[in-house]
Amino acid sequence: MPKVDLYKMDGSKNGTIELNDAIFGQEVNTSVMHQVVVNYLANQRQGTQSTKTRSEVSGGGIKPWRQKGTGRARQGSIRATQWIKGGIALGPKPRDYSYTLNKKVKRVALKSALSSKVAENEIKVIEDLKIEEIKTKTVVTMLKNLEVNTKALIVTCEKDDIVVKSARNIEGVDTTFVNVLNVYDILSHDQLIIAKEAISKLEEVFA
């Protein structure tokens, strides 16, 4: 079972903690993680882009000039696609980009992402991640004590509005909680700062 240092918010070490091998000690499957990240990004797309076809642009339906005898190419309508301000051919229309993946695939990907953070020593477990009042300086000080000066993801056991509001103004720092933790958030941050209680909750979720 992998072991990592257990920290306090003041940056001091308080021993080590053994992580569940079935969650944090798995072989990293980059292919599955890629599938899940692509799925996550596709599901975030609004799909609201739209262009007007020749039936939707303004303009008369009258033939611009007679078919023969003018010396110009024959034209049927000023709403045709080759005209300035004409319709768009094969342009984008509102659509749904979302699709689903097998739950087992998502679980494997999440375990791989967590295991990769342990393998690369990019995870810090906090023994008691609690903030009494909304104060950005408290989180800034904690990150400084932990020597974290890169993009970081703070993971709590449950949604904690005080932690969220205290960290939301810090550039490169995001917060989440166990039930909505996803592979994209983990991989898009350089450091994973996770509460000890969140570790226990993850073990329950994957049990």
Side-chain angles (χ1 to χ4, degrees):
M1 297 180 74
K3 288 184 179 181
V4 296
D5 292 326
L6 185 62
Y7 293 89
K8 292 184 177 180
M9 288 184 64
D10 60 6
S12 61
K13 293 182 182 180
N14 191 27
T16 59
I17 181 173
E18 282 192 351
L19 301 177
N20 192 325
D21 205 33
I23 304 173
F24 297 93
Q26 296 292 299
E27 182 180 351
V28 178
N29 191 326
T30 55
S31 175
V32 172
M33 288 194 296
H34 178 263
Q35 289 181 46
V36 173
V37 169
V38 171
N39 171 252
Y40 174 84
L41 294 175
N43 292 346
Q44 301 307 303
R45 295 184 67 174
Q46 291 184 321
T48 54
Q49 72 276 38
S50 180
T51 53
K52 290 184 178 181
T53 65
R54 62 184 293 165
S55 65
E56 296 170 317
V57 295
S58 62
I62 190 171
K63 191 172 174 65
W65 51 76
R66 61 195 174 99
Q67 182 82 344
K68 296 177 180 293
T70 64
R72 290 177 289 184
R74 55 193 174 187
Q75 301 292 331
S77 170
I78 62 172
R79 293 190 284 186
T81 57
Q82 71 270 21
W83 282 69
I84 294 174
K85 297 184 181 179
I88 303 297
L90 306 177
K93 283 292 186 182
R95 56 170 287 194
D96 182 10
Y97 289 91
S98 65
Y99 62 98
T100 58
L101 282 179
N102 192 300
K103 287 184 180 180
K104 289 183 179 180
V105 172
K106 291 183 178 181
R107 288 170 71 91
V108 170
L110 187 55
K111 290 179 181 180
S112 291
L114 292 169
S115 297
S116 70
K117 288 300 180 185
V118 174
E120 295 169 11
N121 197 27
E122 294 179 349
I123 184 172
K124 294 185 184 296
V125 182
I126 310 300
E127 184 177 26
D128 191 16
L129 183 54
K130 289 183 180 179
I131 301 175
E132 300 299 328
E133 59 178 335
I134 300 172
K135 203 167 187 180
T136 303
K137 186 177 180 180
T138 304
V139 179
V140 171
T141 302
M142 179 188 74
L143 295 174
K144 186 176 180 181
N145 292 335
L146 295 172
E147 298 179 354
V148 174
N149 52 11
T150 56
K151 293 182 68 176
L153 178 66
I154 300 174
V155 183
T156 57
C157 182
E158 298 175 344
K159 186 175 181 181
D160 189 330
D161 288 333
I162 296 179
V163 175
V164 171
K165 292 178 180 179
S166 296
R168 66 184 174 186
N169 287 333
I170 306 173
E171 186 178 1
V173 176
D174 293 304
T175 56
T176 186
F177 56 102
V178 171
N179 287 346
V180 295
L181 184 63
N182 63 74
V183 176
Y184 178 80
D185 285 342
I186 295 172
L187 297 181
S188 61
H189 292 83
D190 300 318
Q191 286 284 342
L192 185 64
I193 301 171
I194 185 167
K196 184 180 177 181
E197 295 85 358
I199 297 285
S200 302
K201 184 72 175 289
L202 274 172
E203 291 176 350
E204 292 177 10
V205 171
F206 285 105

